[in-house]
Amino acid sequence: MIEAFQDWFLSLGENYGVNPWVFGAIYVGAIPFFLASITWLVTRARAHRSTVVPTMLAGFFFVSAYLYLAIAGRNIPVWVWIFLAVLVVYGAWSTIRDTRRKIAAAKAAAGE
């Protein structure tokens, strides 16, 4: 059963021109960079400095695996793009909400 799942999973990459292992490596590998960007963003916001660069970097790392899919993939079904769009929108909303909370908490702790 596990072999059947693995064969099916790997065949998806062949069908759509995407290496599932590369996609997974980008997805997991971007997590520490995303978290570092968020930390940098909160630190700069607390210091009342520009957050443009850390925000852009966080956004890039957030969608990096999907960028690989968009560049390398072919014949990706429309439902996949719709599903990914919903995930990205929800993830962005959640990240913005959490980051604003962290900034507010950091400012409150600093007595601002």
Side-chain angles (χ1 to χ4, degrees):
M1 172 137 171
I2 292 174
E3 287 183 26
F5 175 78
Q6 186 176 7
D7 291 341
W8 168 79
F9 181 71
L10 293 176
S11 75
L12 289 175
E14 294 171 10
N15 293 339
Y16 300 115
V18 176
N19 184 328
W21 299 112
V22 171
F23 179 86
I26 293 170
Y27 192 89
V28 173
I31 292 170
F33 296 105
F34 172 76
L35 294 174
S37 297
I38 294 296
T39 301
W40 186 26
L41 186 153
V42 170
T43 302
R44 290 187 63 86
R46 279 183 48 201
H48 302 289
R49 298 180 67 199
S50 173
T51 59
V52 173
V53 174
T55 300
M56 297 292 286
L57 284 173
F60 171 75
F61 292 124
F62 186 76
V63 299
S64 59
Y66 307 119
L67 289 175
Y68 167 70
L69 180 65
I71 293 168
R74 61 182 186 282
N75 303 321
I76 307 294
V78 173
W79 71 266
V80 171
W81 293 116
I82 293 169
F83 180 73
L84 290 176
V86 169
L87 283 178
V88 168
V89 168
Y90 174 75
W93 171 77
S94 176
T95 301
I96 290 167
R97 182 191 64 205
D98 292 346
T99 302
R100 285 181 177 165
R101 285 182 185 162
K102 288 177 185 176
I103 290 169
K107 285 183 178 180
E112 294 179 17

